[in-house]
């Protein structure tokens, strides 16, 4: 009986694949599928370094917006006080104007009772401007001295009241503009911080650990730079003390011959003890705030932003500083970083969006950024290039 089975094809079988050509195609497909499986959406995500830079930029932008918010808030507060004062003044002047009008009315009533000059006085009260009526009717010659004084006072009060009303209107418009700026700055800060928080929340645990390691490395480098600055300052101060001692010895040895040539130069470099005492008070205050949270727009006592802390610290020492960084930078004498002394203000970035209080040895106390606390840190915390200037408050 003939077999109905089909004959098997000749050739070698490999793992169920009947021909070498099919085997090659299958292996290629597997490789492609493997690559496709490994190509997850994470490949399109920014690198950790890019995230770190973006977050830092957002915090700096938020800091800049915070200073604009502070300035707008201060302007709004001052403008509101000015408006309130003007409105009170307008109310007082309006009352005086009403009193003057009543006095004129009493004159009109008296003239009506006596039957004298009724039309003229009535016309005067109904006129848009008393002065216009006088120019037309020469009533001035008919009024007594007291009546003339009352009319003059009425005209003056009317003019001054109108002027103050215009000032109050303009001030209200300025207040509205300041309030708009305040809302805009507040919205900008909130958006920047929300974006930064969102970026950080998307990091994996491993990425957060790597980010912390990067931050630790930056802190170590900042500490090294601070120690280097401290060493330079110590050497400079020692040399300065030695120079002053030599100058004092020369002055003593030359006292008999009147030699005082070196005393003037040594005096110019002697630290101001009065300013030093104030700086100590400012630092003591700032140190007592360590551990309190950074809150944008805050000036204490429970929380601070950067300029709010420096302002409060120097206020504790009896020195009034402006509210915002770009005004504080003009509130003293600019010195080099190498000549920084405890109590000086250290400003950062080209937009002056951050400030800290120098405490010596390359260190400062500052309110860093949202989510952080007032702390002691190297002035090189964000690199030497981030330092804008150092200012010694007057």
């Amino acid at each position: 009986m003939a077999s109905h089975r089909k004959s098997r094809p000749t050739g070698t079988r490999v793992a169920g694949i009947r021909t070498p050509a099919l085997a090659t195609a299958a292996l290629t497909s597997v490789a492609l599928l493997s690559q496709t499986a490994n190509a997850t959406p994470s490949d399109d995500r920014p690198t950790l370094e890019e995230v770190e830079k973006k977050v830092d930029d957002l915090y700096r932008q938020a800091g800049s917006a915070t200073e604009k918010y502070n300035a707008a808030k201060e302007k709004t507060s001052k403008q509101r006080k000015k408006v309130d004062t003007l409105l009170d003044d307008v109310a007082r002047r309006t009352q005086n104007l009403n009193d003057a009008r009543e006095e004129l009315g009493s004159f009109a009533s008296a003239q009506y009772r006596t039957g004298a000059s009724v039309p003229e006085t009535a016309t005067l009260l109904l006129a848009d401007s008393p002065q216009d009526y006088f120019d037309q009717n020469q009533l001035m010659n008919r009024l007594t001295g007291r009546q003339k004084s009352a009319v003059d006072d009425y005209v003056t009060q009317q003019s001054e009241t109108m002027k103050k009303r215009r000032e109050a209107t303009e001030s209200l418009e300025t207040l509205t503009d300041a309030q708009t700026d305040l809302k805009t700055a507040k919205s900008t800060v909130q958006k920047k911080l929300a974006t930064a928080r969102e970026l950080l929340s998307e990091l994996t645990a491993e990425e957060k650990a790597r980010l912390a390691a990067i931050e630790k490395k930056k802190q170590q480098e900042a500490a090294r730079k601070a120690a280097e600055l401290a060493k330079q300052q110590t050497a400079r101060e020692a040399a300065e003390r030695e120079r002053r001692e030599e100058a004092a010895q020369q002055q003593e040895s030359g006292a008999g011959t009147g030699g005082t040539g070196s005393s003037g130069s040594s005096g110019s470099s002697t630290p101001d003890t009065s300013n030093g005492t104030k700086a100590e008070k400012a630092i003591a205050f700032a140190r007592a705030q360590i551990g309190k949270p950074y809150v944008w727009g805050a000036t204490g006592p429970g929380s601070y932003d950067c300029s709010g802390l420096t302002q409060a610290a120097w206020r504790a020492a009896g020195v009034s500083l402006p509210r915002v960084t770009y005004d504080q930078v003009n509130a003293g004498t600019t010195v080099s970083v190498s000549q920084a002394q405890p109590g000086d203000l250290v400003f950062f970035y080209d937009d002056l969006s951050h400030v800290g209080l120098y405490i010596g040895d390359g260190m400062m106390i500052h309110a860093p950024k949202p989510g952080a606390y007032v702390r002691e840190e190297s002035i090189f915390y964000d690199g030497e290039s981030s330092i804008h200037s150092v200012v010694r408050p007057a």
Side-chain angles (χ1 to χ4, degrees), residues 201-220:
S201 68
E202 293 175 351
L203 295 178
T204 65
E206 181 184 355
E207 288 172 330
K208 289 179 180 178
R210 285 173 54 204
L211 190 61
I214 293 173
E215 183 65 25
K216 183 177 181 180
K217 186 176 180 180
K218 287 174 61 177
Q219 291 175 352
Q220 290 172 343

Side-chain angles (χ1 to χ4, degrees), residues 128-198:
D128 293 336
S129 169
Q131 191 61 48
D132 291 341
Y133 177 81
F134 297 149
D135 292 340
Q136 296 173 8
N137 297 278
Q138 298 182 347
L139 185 62
M140 294 287 286
N141 294 329
R142 299 187 182 183
L143 296 174
T144 65
R146 182 184 175 191
Q147 290 172 323
K148 182 179 183 300
S149 176
V151 171
D152 288 343
D153 182 59
Y154 175 80
V155 173
T156 300
Q157 292 286 351
Q158 186 182 50
S159 175
E160 292 181 352
T161 300
M162 292 302 296
K163 180 181 178 181
K164 289 298 180 181
R165 281 175 178 169
R166 286 193 297 271
E167 288 183 19
T169 300
E170 292 172 357
S171 292
L172 281 170
E173 291 174 352
T174 303
L175 176 60
T176 300
D177 292 341
Q179 289 173 329
T180 300
D181 292 341
L182 184 64
K183 291 179 181 178
T184 300
K186 182 177 182 179
S187 175
T188 301
V189 173
Q190 291 174 332
K191 288 178 181 178
K192 298 294 184 184
L193 296 181
T195 304
R197 285 193 292 266
E198 183 179 357

Side-chain angles (χ1 to χ4, degrees), residues 85-106:
T85 300
L86 282 170
L87 290 176
D88 289 343
D89 192 24
V90 167
R92 180 179 59 80
R93 290 180 182 279
T94 300
Q95 182 59 49
N96 291 340
L97 183 63
N98 291 335
D99 292 343
R101 186 180 288 114
E102 288 178 5
E103 188 171 7
L104 285 178
S106 67

Side-chain angles (χ1 to χ4, degrees), residues 325-342:
T325 54
Y326 38 85
D327 287 333
Q328 289 184 5
V329 75
N330 297 317
T333 304
T334 301
V335 298
S336 66
V337 174
S338 63
Q339 293 179 324
Q341 293 180 5

Side-chain angles (χ1 to χ4, degrees), residues 200-333:
L200 291 174
S201 68
E202 293 175 351
L203 295 178
T204 65
E206 181 184 355
E207 288 172 330
K208 289 179 180 178
R210 285 173 54 204
L211 190 61
I214 293 173
E215 183 65 25
K216 183 177 181 180
K217 186 176 180 180
K218 287 174 61 177
Q219 291 175 352
Q220 290 172 343
E221 175 60 17
R224 186 190 68 79
K225 293 287 291 183
E228 184 179 308
L229 176 60
K231 185 177 180 181
Q232 293 173 356
Q233 289 180 331
T234 300
R236 182 175 59 81
E237 290 169 1
E240 182 62 26
R241 281 196 302 271
E242 184 177 349
R243 190 187 67 78
R244 287 200 299 267
E245 290 172 0
E246 290 178 356
Q249 291 175 359
Q250 290 177 4
Q251 184 178 1
E252 290 176 2
S253 63
T257 58
T260 57
S262 62
S263 61
S265 60
S266 63
S268 63
S269 59
T270 302
D272 184 350
T273 54
S274 174
N275 189 70
T277 301
K278 291 178 180 178
E280 290 174 0
K281 291 181 179 179
I283 293 172
F285 178 91
R287 200 178 295 281
Q289 312 314 308
I290 290 177
K292 293 183 178 180
Y294 173 103
V295 174
W296 62 274
T299 56
S303 57
Y304 297 88
D305 63 16
C306 64
S307 56
L309 176 63
T310 52
Q311 183 190 44
W314 272 101
R315 186 192 299 121
V319 177
S320 178
L321 290 182
R323 174 64 183 94
V324 295
T325 54
Y326 38 85
D327 287 333
Q328 289 184 5
V329 75
N330 297 317
T333 304

